[in-house]
Amino acid sequence: MTRYLLGSFQASERRWIVVAALVLLPVFFLPVLPVWTMKLWAPQYPEGLQLTIYAHTIKGDLDNINTLNHYVGMHKITPDDFDEFRYMPQLLTFFGVMALLAALVNRRWLAVLGWLGFTAFAVYMFRDYANWLYHYGHDLDPRAALKLEAFTPPLIGYKQMANFKVWSLPGPGTLLLGFAWLLGPIVFWIERRAERQSAESVAKTVGVPA
Amino acid sequence: MKRKIGLALLAIAILAWAVASGCTRMAGGAGGSAAQKTYVKPGEHDTHYAFLSGGHSGQVFVYGLPSCRYITTIPVFTPEPAKGYGYDEESKAMLGGFTWGDAHHPGLSETNGNFDGRWLFINDMPHARIARIDLKDFTTREIYGPIPNISAAHACPYPTPNTEYVFAASRFSAPVPTNKVAKVEDYVKDFKGVIAGIKVSSEGRMSMGFEILMPPFHWDLSDAGKGPSHGWQFFTCYNSEMAHDTLEVKASQAEMDYVAAVDWRAAQKAVDEGKADMIGGAPVLNPEKVKGIVYLVPTPKSPHGMDVNPTGEYICASGKLQAEVSVFSFKKLMAAIDAKKFEKEIMGVPVLAYDDVLEAKVPVGLGPLHTEFDGKGFAYTSLFLDSQVAKWKVGTWEVVDKIDVYYSIGHLSVAEGATMNPTGEYLLALDKLSKDRYLPVGPSHPEGAQLIDLRGNKMELLYDFPTYPEPHYGQIISASKIKPLKIYPLSENKNPHAIKSAEEARVERKGKRVDAYMVAVRTHFTPDVIRVAAGDTVYFHVTNLEQDIDITHGFGILNSNIDMQVEPGETKTVKWVATAAGITPFYCSNFCSALHQEMQGYLEVAAAGTRIAGVQRPPKKQVEEVAALLRRR
C-alpha cells in the first residue's frame, strides 16, 4: 500500500486524474451549472418559485420568496449573506489545480491527499448547507404576522411547508463534482486490480506464488 | 332474468363511461356537440382573443374564443376606476378632458397584410380621435386627436397592410375649418366632408399625413386595399343627396351613392410637394386643384360595409337599403382610371361608370351591412333586416348558406377575416338587440353576440352570450400572436419619479407643491404618514416594487376622487389637493395579500400656512423595519 501510494501513475490513471481536474476547474460549470435547486409550489403559485444555488451566487425568484417569507418572519435571503460564495469557487479551483499538479509531477500521494481534502470539503459543505436551512427555518422574527412552528426546509427531497410544496435537489454542478469525486476510488480500484493481475502474471512466469 | 338486467345495466354503464371518457379533447376541437366545441377546461386557455369595441362605453372588451368568456376591459376613452384609468396624471392627460367616447372599430396592426399582435387601434367617433392600445400590456398608450376638420370619425381607423396609415373620414359633413360661422341651409355650398390619412411610425406614434376635401356626403366605413390594391383606401358613403335635415327620408332617395377610392401614396406625395393648404393646422388637399388622388364609384343605395377580400382583388360594398352586395374589381377600377373614363366630376372628384368597375352583384338578403372572409374563398355578410348571416363564394358569387342570429346583426367578425390570410375558424355575430335571449334585467337590455363555427360546410351556431353596451365591431386574432408582459420589470422602469427602495422614500415640498415619492410592496406603503398643509397640491408618485405576477397595489384616498392602480414594477402619479385641515386616510384598494387590510396610511393636513419641513423622510427605524420587514443577519 505504502509502495503504491509513493508510486507514480499508470498512463490511464493519469488521464482520469486530468479529467477530474478539468471537471473541478470552475471555468466549466460556475456560470452555468447550478449546484442545487429548490422549487416551491403553492396553490396560487402553480408555476412554482425557484431558488437556484450556484457555487458563487444564488439566483431565481429571490424577491418573491423574500416577500412571502416576511409573513412568517424568515430572514431575507441575499447572496451577500453567504461567505461560502466567496470561498467555494476558489476552493474548487484549488482542488482542480491540485489534481492537475498530481498528474503533472506524477505522484500518487498528492492525488490521494487532494481527494481526501476534497471529501472533507464536501462533507463540510453539506453540513453547512443543512445548518443554513435549519437557521432559516428556526430563527424566525417573533413579530412576524404568521406564527409558524419552527421547521427545516428539505436538504434533498420533498417536504410540505405551510401552503408550499418544496422539492430540493442537487443540480448538474453537484452531479459533476460527485463524478469527479467518484473518479478517485474508481481509479484506485482499477489500478489495484491491474497491479494484482500483473503481479499474478509475474508470479506465473517466475513460478512463485504471488 | 334479474341477472340479465343487471348485466345489461352494467353494459350500458360501461358504454356511457367509454363515450364520456372519449370526449376529453382540446379546446374548440372540431367534432362533437356545440357544447363540446366551446368548452375550455378549467385552467386551459382559449385559442383566440376577440377584441370588441365598447361603443358609447368608450372601452374595448376582450373575450376568449371559443369559450366566449369575458376576459377583461381595456379602458380607452372613458375613466375606469377598476384599472385606475383616467385618474393618474398620465392617463388623465391622455383623455384630454373628455370622459366619454364612442368606440366603433377596433383595428389590429398589420405586417404584410396579417395581424402582427403589436397594437390595437380604435376610433372615438364623436371626438374624431384614434387610440392606440399596446398589446404588450393591453393598455391605451396614445390618443391622437381630435383630428382637425373631421366631424366624427366613423370610417376609422382601418390600418393599411403594413400599418403605414390609419384613416379617418367625417361622418357629419361640416364647414372646414369647423369653427367657420355658417348656416345649415347653405349646406351644399359651405359644408365639406374630409378624409384624413394619419401616419403611424414604427413605434406606433400617430401623426398627421394628409387630408382630402370631399363632397359633403356622410362618409361611412372604410377598408385598406391589399396585395394588388395596396396603396389604396376605400370608403363608402350615404347622403350623396346632400340633405341637411330629415335625413332618414331625404338621404335615402337616390338609387346610387358612392365608394371613394383614395390613392394614399399620391395624396402623401402631393402634400410633400407642397400642394396642400394648411387649414385648422392640417395639410388639406383640394381635388378641384390636385388631381389623381381620389375617385368615386357609384354604388347602390347607402352602402355601409366596405370590405376588400383577402387577395385584394375585389372591393365589396354592402348597400344597406338594397338586397345585394356590389363587388367591384380593382383591375377594372385601374383600367377605367387609366382610360380616364369619367362620367362627371363632383366638386373636383372624378366619377367612374358603375358598369365599368362592377364585377358582380351578390343577392345576399335584406339589409347587408358588413362582409368578412375566411381562408377558403368564402365571404360572410351580415344582414341587419333578415337577422341572418349569408355565406357566399367569391368568384362564383353564389350564396351557399344562411344562418339566423339574434337579433338585428350589425358588424360581424371572422377570425383574422380582415387580413390577407384569414384563419376563419369562427365567426362572431355582433347584434344590436337581444330582447328575450337572456335573463331579463329591465328595459336596458344587454347586446348579444353569437359564436358561429365556420369549419364545416354549413355554418353552425355554437354559443350565444350577452355583451355590455355596445360592441359595434370586433376583431379576432390567434392567441399565439400576442405575448403580453406578466409584470413590468423594475429594472426597465425609467419613470423619472420612480424610486426602487424604501430607503429612497421621501416627501419634498417647494412652496405649495408637495411631491411624495412612495413605494408599495406587500403590505405597506413607505412613507405611510405624510404631513402637508391645507392648500397644498400633493403629487403622489407610487412605485409598486413587486415583481410577482398579479400583485397589483391600489392607492385610494378617502373622500376624494382619487384611486390609482399600480401594477408590479410600475410607477404612477396622481394629484390631490389638500382642501381642508384634518386627517385623511389612504389605502391599497386592490386586494393584494393576507395583510391587505393593513396596507394603509394617513395624510395629516395641518392648518393653512403651517410651516412644514422641506423634506420629510420616514423614520430610519421604520424604514429598516419595513425594508420588506426582512431582517438581515
Side-chain angles (χ1 to χ4, degrees):
Chain A
M1 185 75 188
T2 321
R3 190 164 47 88
Y4 171 79
L5 281 179
L6 292 175
S8 56
F9 296 118
Q10 307 288 342
S12 67
E13 204 178 8
R14 208 165 163 185
R15 265 203 302 276
W16 281 115
I17 298 289
V18 172
V19 168
L22 292 181
V23 169
L24 281 171
L25 282 171
V27 181
F28 282 88
F29 64 86
L30 258 192
V32 283
L33 296 181
V35 293
W36 219 266
T37 56
M38 198 181 271
K39 192 134 189 180
L40 305 92
W41 291 271
Q44 70 275 37
Y45 289 95
E47 73 280 10
L49 294 164
Q50 177 124 358
L51 276 182
T52 313
I53 303 169
Y54 296 82
H56 66 302
T57 189
I58 183 163
K59 288 183 180 168
D61 302 306
L62 267 184
D63 289 343
N64 288 343
I65 288 170
N66 285 333
T67 308
L68 294 167
N69 285 348
H70 97 263
Y71 287 105
V72 299
M74 254 170 95
H75 284 288
K76 185 174 183 172
I77 303 169
T78 63
D80 307 349
D81 282 350
F82 301 93
D83 297 334
E84 289 83 342
F85 293 146
R86 281 184 281 284
Y87 62 71
M88 221 162 115
Q90 282 81 336
L91 269 174
L92 287 170
T93 311
F94 169 75
F95 289 118
V97 168
M98 205 152 160
L100 266 185
L101 199 68
L104 211 64
V105 301
N106 207 350
R107 287 288 174 274
R108 247 194 214 111
W109 63 268
L110 208 57
V112 171
L113 195 69
W115 185 83
L116 288 170
F118 186 51
T119 307
F121 163 77
V123 170
Y124 172 80
M125 286 319 295
F126 277 108
R127 278 283 320 265
D128 181 63
Y129 187 27
N131 285 344
W132 270 116
L133 292 172
Y134 180 90
H135 164 81
Y136 278 117
H138 284 71
D139 189 19
L140 300 171
D141 189 335
R143 300 182 324 141
L146 285 169
K147 297 274 182 290
L148 280 194
E149 284 287 303
F151 57 92
T152 307
L155 174 74
I156 186 160
Y158 169 84
K159 204 168 191 176
Q160 172 95 27
M161 288 163 32
N163 57 336
F164 276 93
K165 294 177 163 56
V166 185
W167 262 104
S168 176
L169 288 171
T174 297
L175 297 179
L176 268 183
L177 292 175
F179 167 71
W181 179 82
L182 269 178
L183 280 178
I186 288 170
V187 169
F188 183 78
W189 179 77
I190 290 172
E191 282 303 312
R192 296 287 292 170
R193 204 178 57 163
E195 260 195 18
R196 258 204 308 277
Q197 279 169 352
S198 64
E200 274 167 20
S201 62
V202 167
K204 259 198 195 109
T205 43
V206 180
V208 293
Chain B
M1 183 67 206
K2 254 191 185 163
R3 207 154 144 201
K4 271 195 180 153
I5 290 172
L7 278 173
L9 282 175
L10 186 69
I12 288 167
I14 289 169
L15 194 69
W17 173 82
V19 169
S21 61
C23 291
T24 52
R25 17 151 307 282
M26 280 301 293
S33 68
Q36 286 166 332
K37 287 179 182 174
T38 55
Y39 182 71
V40 176
K41 270 199 224 123
E44 285 186 1
H45 286 189
D46 280 294
T47 54
H48 294 73
Y49 287 94
F51 294 97
L52 308 191
S53 68
H56 49 271
S57 74
Q59 317 294 42
V60 166
F61 307 132
V62 184
Y63 284 80
L65 301 183
S67 74
C68 303
R69 286 182 291 190
Y70 162 79
I71 311 259
T72 191
T73 295
I74 305 170
V76 187
F77 298 113
T78 307
E80 172 60 78
K83 290 201 175 172
Y85 181 83
Y87 291 83
D88 67 294
E89 294 307 293
E90 203 176 336
S91 56
K92 205 161 64 180
M94 216 162 42
L95 288 174
F98 293 110
T99 58
W100 79 290
D102 194 350
H104 278 231
H105 309 117
L108 285 157
S109 59
E110 294 181 12
T111 302
N112 300 325
N114 296 311
F115 290 158
D116 56 27
R118 286 182 297 166
W119 311 302
L120 177 71
F121 295 91
I122 189 157
N123 64 323
D124 165 20
M125 201 251 315
H127 309 121
R129 295 183 296 170
I130 305 174
R132 180 173 50 89
I133 295 156
D134 193 332
L135 295 179
K136 273 264 167 283
D137 53 6
F138 284 54
T139 300
T140 306
R141 289 296 173 199
E142 185 186 4
I143 296 180
Y144 180 81
I147 302 166
N149 309 322
I150 300 256
S151 296
H154 190 265
C156 179
Y158 296 99
T160 50
N162 292 304
T163 323
E164 299 97 331
Y165 286 86
V166 286
F167 282 87
S170 49
R171 175 178 150 186
F172 303 95
S173 289
V176 174
T178 35
N179 61 2
K180 199 163 106 181
V181 176
K183 282 196 153 37
V184 176
E185 64 211 36
D186 296 331
Y187 185 91
V188 177
K189 180 166 71 74
D190 284 345
F191 285 47
K192 289 285 176 201
V194 171
I195 286 174
I198 307 300
K199 279 190 226 172
V200 181
S201 78
S202 56
E203 284 78 51
R205 304 295 305 177
M206 290 176 271
S207 62
M208 174 55 71
F210 61 85
E211 287 192 347
I212 305 173
L213 224 43
M214 297 295 288
F217 309 156
H218 283 48
W219 297 95
D220 195 358
L221 283 176
S222 176
D223 200 7
K226 44 196 154 191
S229 54
H230 184 115
W232 291 76
Q233 191 82 10
F234 305 98
F235 297 84
T236 50
C237 70
Y238 56 99
N239 194 25
S240 58
E241 297 86 342
M242 297 188 268
H244 58 264
D245 62 23
T246 332
L247 252 60
E248 66 170 316
V249 177
K250 293 181 181 171
S252 307
Q253 296 307 305
E255 279 311 308
M256 290 285 189
D257 290 291
Y258 297 97
V259 161
V262 173
D263 180 346
W264 49 259
R265 291 187 188 123
Q268 189 62 60
K269 195 161 157 262
V271 167
D272 296 343
E273 288 168 357
K275 292 178 178 168
D277 309 313
M278 290 303 284
I279 305 175
V284 181
L285 298 163
N286 185 343
E288 302 268 18
K289 299 188 287 185
V290 186
K291 295 297 173 195
I293 50 171
V294 57
Y295 303 89
L296 292 175
V297 181
T299 304
K301 250 173 152 171
S302 304
H304 188 70
M306 173 80 303
D307 303 290
V308 180
N309 81 316
T311 64
E313 208 174 340
Y314 298 115
I315 301 140
C316 311
S318 321
K320 72 184 179 206
L321 302 178
Q322 198 219 14
E324 289 168 332
V325 170
S326 300
V327 181
F328 298 110
S329 149
F330 181 71
K331 248 196 220 109
K332 290 181 180 176
L333 174 71
M334 286 301 104
I337 290 172
D338 290 341
K340 296 213 171 356
K341 246 191 107 187
F342 306 135
E343 284 186 330
K344 56 180 174 179
E345 270 192 3
I346 303 176
M347 299 184 182
V349 186
V351 180
L352 301 155
Y354 177 59
D355 292 328
D356 288 349
V357 188
L358 188 74
E359 179 74 25
K361 287 201 254 188
V362 188
V364 286
L366 296 179
L369 273 188
H370 176 215
T371 302
E372 284 205 353
F373 305 86
D374 67 10
K376 296 183 278 192
F378 291 99
Y380 302 84
T381 301
S382 59
L383 305 172
F384 180 81
L385 298 174
D386 281 341
S387 282
Q388 282 183 318
V389 172
K391 174 180 180 179
W392 49 276
K393 183 105 183 104
V394 177
T396 66
W397 319 115
E398 308 160 273
V399 175
V400 295
D401 190 22
K402 283 192 182 185
I403 191 168
D404 293 337
V405 293
Y406 311 92
Y407 305 92
S408 306
I409 179 174
H411 284 271
L412 49 71
S413 178
V414 173
E416 307 201 352
T419 70
M420 292 185 76
N421 294 289
T423 51
E425 303 97 314
Y426 301 109
L427 180 147
L428 205 52
L430 297 165
D431 312 321
K432 302 299 185 192
L433 309 176
S434 70
K435 299 173 77 92
D436 59 352
R437 296 292 287 182
Y438 312 110
L439 279 176
V441 290
S444 175
H445 295 69
E447 267 50 68
Q450 279 85 46
L451 182 73
I452 292 163
D453 191 349
L454 300 185
R455 287 167 296 183
N457 285 332
K458 288 193 77 65
M459 291 181 278
E460 186 195 357
L461 175 62
L462 295 181
Y463 204 71
D464 182 348
F465 62 101
T467 54
Y468 195 67
E470 179 199 337
H472 283 260
Y473 173 46
Q475 288 197 324
I476 301 168
I477 178 173
S478 297
S480 59
K481 288 191 177 175
I482 299 182
K483 302 264 184 294
L485 294 169
K486 288 192 162 70
I487 54 161
Y488 295 109
L490 204 53
S491 54
E492 291 169 26
N493 179 333
K494 300 283 181 273
N495 187 307
H497 302 298
I499 56 172
K500 304 202 177 169
S501 69
E503 285 82 359
E504 298 169 77
R506 67 198 181 275
V507 181
E508 293 175 354
R509 60 183 307 118
K510 284 197 177 69
K512 284 200 175 307
R513 177 185 166 128
V514 178
D515 286 272
Y517 298 91
M518 303 171 69
V519 293
V521 67
R522 276 167 290 177
T523 16
H524 53 269
F525 293 103
T526 311
D528 60 359
V529 175
I530 293 171
R531 196 149 184 265
V532 298
D536 284 351
T537 300
V538 190
Y539 289 87
F540 297 95
H541 312 287
V542 181
T543 303
N544 180 346
L545 290 182
E546 305 282 355
Q547 291 289 272
D548 197 351
I549 298 167
D550 205 5
I551 309 293
T552 309
H553 289 298
F555 179 79
I557 301 179
L558 269 62
N559 303 313
S560 81
N561 246 332
I562 284 169
D563 174 55
M564 284 197 297
Q565 297 297 313
V566 193
E567 304 301 331
E570 191 181 35
T571 302
K572 276 186 173 172
T573 297
V574 70
K575 182 175 99 174
W576 175 76
V577 180
T579 44
I583 296 286
T584 298
F586 61 89
Y587 73 109
C588 171
S589 53
N590 191 315
F591 202 104
C592 55
S593 76
L595 299 176
H596 162 75
Q597 297 282 95
E598 284 76 357
M599 192 163 174
Q600 60 152 66
Y602 290 102
L603 303 171
E604 191 183 287
V605 185
T610 310
R611 284 183 58 89
I612 294 172
V615 177
Q616 294 170 56
R617 291 186 186 277
K620 208 168 159 46
K621 195 163 171 277
Q622 188 195 2
V623 171
E624 276 167 16
E625 238 170 30
V626 300
L629 295 166
L630 305 158
R631 294 178 306 144
R632 302 282 300 275
R633 241 193 326 176

